[in-house]
Amino acid sequence: MDKTERLINLTAFLLDTTRPVTFEELGDTVYHDQPTGTKAQKNALHKMFERDKEELREMGIDIEVQKSEQTGEEGYVIPRDKYYLPHLDLEPEERVALTMVSRLFLGSGTPFSGPAHSALLKLAFEGGAADDAL
């Protein structure tokens, strides 16, 4: 599995769970294809996971450490309220204005082009004018 697929799988798995997931559980699921037989292999997997967490955080995906209410063990979660854009009730004129401004930033090479594209992708799931901008 390549890094991009691993990051997507990690994000999807942590968003899909309803409880904190331990590192061992991640090793059995997301990182199932990585060898963990020796102490050195387990350390390598832990370093890979730490790099993956850091890369996701740099992309704005916050991975938090929380204690499980059932077991008391520490585990990892991606808080949905910090990941997903809340539902926006935009008027048609607001959607058009947002689309027009976003098109100015997309591909412009400004510091805002990345966040503008990310916002349009999130709004695309809502439907409407944002779909046309993609």
Side-chain angles (χ1 to χ4, degrees):
M1 164 180 2
D2 69 355
K3 181 172 80 168
T4 302
E5 182 179 1
R6 195 174 64 239
L7 292 174
I8 291 170
N9 289 344
L10 178 59
T11 302
F13 188 78
L14 292 177
L15 281 170
D16 193 44
T17 187
T18 58
R19 62 176 178 74
V21 178
T22 65
F23 175 72
E24 290 77 20
E25 290 175 293
L26 290 172
D28 293 339
T29 54
V30 175
Y31 298 96
H32 64 86
D33 62 340
Q34 301 297 318
T36 58
T38 67
K39 185 166 180 73
Q41 290 172 331
K42 287 180 185 175
N43 286 339
L45 176 61
H46 195 274
K47 287 179 183 179
M48 178 187 293
F49 175 59
E50 291 299 322
R51 286 191 304 269
D52 289 350
K53 283 193 313 184
E54 184 60 32
E55 190 156 342
L56 289 174
R57 286 181 176 140
E58 287 174 5
M59 289 188 261
I61 300 172
D62 190 27
I63 296 179
E64 293 182 0
V65 178
Q66 295 181 357
K67 281 199 175 196
S68 170
E69 293 179 9
Q70 293 88 8
T71 65
E73 289 183 302
E74 285 190 346
Y76 302 93
V77 297
I78 296 176
R80 291 178 182 166
D81 60 329
K82 292 182 180 178
Y83 182 81
Y84 292 114
L85 186 67
H87 177 71
L88 299 176
D89 288 324
L90 297 176
E91 298 294 324
E93 297 84 13
E94 293 171 317
R95 284 190 179 273
V96 169
L98 180 61
T99 300
M100 291 174 62
V101 169
S102 297
R103 284 186 177 169
L104 289 173
F105 287 123
L106 288 174
S108 65
T110 69
F112 304 108
S113 58
H117 183 68
S118 179
L120 277 182
L121 288 174
K122 288 180 180 183
L123 286 173
F125 291 109
E126 296 279 328
D131 288 335
D132 298 333
L134 296 175

